[in-house]
């Protein structure tokens, strides 16, 4: 008889814009063989759809009314999820300047959050996940045993975005993301905080893996 499959686990990696959390989460997922989920891309995809259909991103009622017609779907490729809108998988569109500008507004609409959070929770059907975002440890999976908050100074984060060639209103987005009414960016009380301002990506990944190891979670040996 095959043993019952263990309950899927979720590692929550939250933090502000350009803190490096996505790269850390992807690397940790690859090490463990778990699925990587970038929830920022989900909010970006909805924002792209809002803009693409000519909806005013500052009109929550219009966004709410259009949400179910957008055909939001997730698919998994190479160990990570990507977002489709009406059957189209979005990549470069997600970091367009207009999306960077409008995403915090769209992400503050309660109906958008409800729909995406439900989708995020349902992804445990894929097995264990490493999920990055703003509210993963506080709202989406508050019972997760593994929560990290990756931070970095505003100067370092702005420089990282510039190095990626993107124009991004980091501080304006942080302000909006931290002050919105529904699931603002907060540090979950039981999260391990890592300030990555003076650490390399490899060092942050090592810290996360070292902490997981102290709690009995180690990558499978090849
Ligand atoms: O991580 P990012 O910069 O790609 O996220 C884009 C925006 O999406 C961010 O400004 C806030 C929003 N977001 C959110 O509200 N909740 C999440 N779990 C992830 C992102």
């Amino acid at each position: 008889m095959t043993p019952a499959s263990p309950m899927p686990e979720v590692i929550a990696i939250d933090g502000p814009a350009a803190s490096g959390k996505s790269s850390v989460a992807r690397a940790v997922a690859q090490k463990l063989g778990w699925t990587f989920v970038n929830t920022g891309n989900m909010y970006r995809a909805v924002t792209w759809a809002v803009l693409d259909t000519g909806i005013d991103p500052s009109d929550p009622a219009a966004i709410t009314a259009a949400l179910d017609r957008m055909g939001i779907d997730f698919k998994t490729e190479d160990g990570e999820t990507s977002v489709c809108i009406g059957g189209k998988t979005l990549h470069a569109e997600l970091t367009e300047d207009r999306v960077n500008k409008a995403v915090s507004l769209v992400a503050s609409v309660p109906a958008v959050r409800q729909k995406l959070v439900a989708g995020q929770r349902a992804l445990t059907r894929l097995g264990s996940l490493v999920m990055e975002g703003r509210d993963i440890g506080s709202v989406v999976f508050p019972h997760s045993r593994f929560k990290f908050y990756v931070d970095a100074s505003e100067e370092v984060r702005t420089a990282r975005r510039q190095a990626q060639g993107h124009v991004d209103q980091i501080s304006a987005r942080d302000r909006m993301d931290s002050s919105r009414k529904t699931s603002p960016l907060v540090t979950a009380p039981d999260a391990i905080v890592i300030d990555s301002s003076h650490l390399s990506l490899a060092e942050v990944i090592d810290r996360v893996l070292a902490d997981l190891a102290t709690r009995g979670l180690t990558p499978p040996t090849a």
Side-chain angles (χ1 to χ4, degrees):
M1 214 165 79
T2 338
S5 54
M7 284 286 285
E9 296 264 20
V10 177
I11 298 175
I13 304 192
D14 290 301
S19 58
K21 61 188 183 307
S22 304
S23 308
V24 173
R26 178 182 286 112
V28 171
Q30 280 169 354
K31 288 265 186 204
L32 294 170
W34 294 10
T35 301
F36 165 53
V37 186
N38 181 324
T39 64
N41 281 349
M42 298 179 184
Y43 291 93
R44 287 173 179 275
V46 174
T47 304
W48 180 84
V50 163
L51 298 170
D52 193 59
T53 44
I55 296 168
D56 177 356
S58 60
D59 183 346
I63 296 172
T64 303
L67 208 49
D68 284 333
R69 284 184 268 118
M70 285 178 188
I72 305 166
D73 202 4
F74 309 124
K75 67 175 193 194
T76 318
E77 235 175 354
D78 299 329
E80 57 184 89
T81 57
S82 49
V83 195
C84 310
I85 297 283
K88 175 182 162 74
T89 309
L90 302 180
H91 292 292
E93 295 87 349
L94 299 174
T95 49
E96 287 175 8
D97 291 349
R98 60 182 187 144
V99 171
N100 285 338
K101 278 202 192 93
V103 66
S104 289
L105 267 176
V106 174
S108 70
V109 177
V112 171
R113 303 205 70 80
Q114 254 170 33
K115 187 168 185 80
L116 293 183
V117 168
Q120 290 154 13
R121 290 184 177 142
L123 288 173
T124 52
R125 69 178 183 277
L126 301 171
S128 294
L129 309 171
V130 184
M131 189 175 282
E132 68 84 84
R134 300 290 190 292
D135 57 344
I136 311 307
S138 56
V139 171
V140 185
F141 290 105
H143 303 300
S144 158
R145 294 194 294 137
F146 310 108
K147 299 182 188 177
F148 297 89
Y149 186 93
V150 180
D151 209 346
S153 70
E154 192 175 314
E155 297 72 48
V156 168
R157 292 186 293 114
T158 304
R160 283 179 188 164
R161 268 296 190 269
Q162 277 166 358
Q164 290 166 342
H166 299 307
V167 181
D168 197 351
Q169 298 72 17
I170 301 266
S171 51
R173 274 206 299 135
D174 285 348
R175 249 193 326 277
M176 281 196 69
D177 295 339
S178 306
S179 60
R180 68 172 174 238
K181 286 207 185 83
T182 318
S183 336
L185 169 68
V186 290
T187 314
D190 49 347
I192 310 263
V193 179
I194 302 177
D195 182 348
S196 73
S197 306
H198 305 291
L199 298 176
S200 67
L201 176 59
E203 286 171 322
V204 182
I205 295 165
D206 282 349
R207 282 204 191 182
V208 172
L209 291 173
D211 179 79
L212 293 173
T214 64
R215 291 186 279 158
L217 191 57
T218 47
T221 43

